[in-house]
Structure formats: C-alpha cells, structure tokens
Amino acid sequence: MTYDAELDARGLLCPLPVLKARKRLGALASGQVLRMTADDPAAIVDVPHFCAEAGHEMLDCQDADGAQVYLIRKG
C-alpha cells in the first residue's frame, strides 16, 4: 500500500510513538496515510486506541524485523 508520510518510532517508549504519530498526522491532509514503525510493546495497544479516540483509521499492522509497522489514515 502507498503512504504519504513515514515515521520511524523505533527505540521510543510509551507515550512517545503515539505523540509523534499525532504530530506527524497533524501535518497531513484528511485521507492521507502515515506509515509508522515502532518497537515499543505497548504500541500494540496504544496505536489502535489512539486511532479510535482521534478519529483516524488504522488500516494495517504487521510485524517486520522485530517491530510493528502501522498504516494509519488521517480522519
């Protein structure tokens, strides 16, 4: 899937991956997609919760090289 912006949040612990995702999504237009890579175990819970609360759509989450890759469409 194509995406409009990318965020590497590996090495960051809760709540930094979500805070950085919120900042990056703020710069995108509605409907654009952010690809975020994170290795914080809490991100598996935090990212879907953040998306639901902020009105964004989590399109996909996959494991890759010891991290998770999230595709988030800005609401």
Side-chain angles (χ1 to χ4, degrees):
M1 174 167 201
T2 60
Y3 50 91
D4 303 289
E6 188 166 17
L7 171 62
D8 184 353
R10 287 177 286 198
L12 302 177
L13 298 177
C14 177
L16 289 175
V18 167
L19 293 175
K20 291 194 174 280
R22 179 179 8 181
K23 183 175 181 179
R24 186 65 58 92
L25 284 161
L28 299 179
S30 183
Q32 288 189 305
V33 175
L34 171 67
R35 179 183 188 268
M36 180 175 80
T37 305
D39 58 3
D40 177 14
I44 295 168
V45 174
D46 292 345
V47 173
H49 180 72
F50 160 70
C51 291
E53 292 294 315
H56 305 305
E57 181 183 359
M58 191 169 84
L59 301 173
D60 193 24
C61 175
Q62 295 185 6
D63 291 329
D65 298 325
Q68 295 78 45
V69 177
Y70 302 92
L71 292 175
I72 304 167
R73 177 178 288 135
K74 182 175 179 173

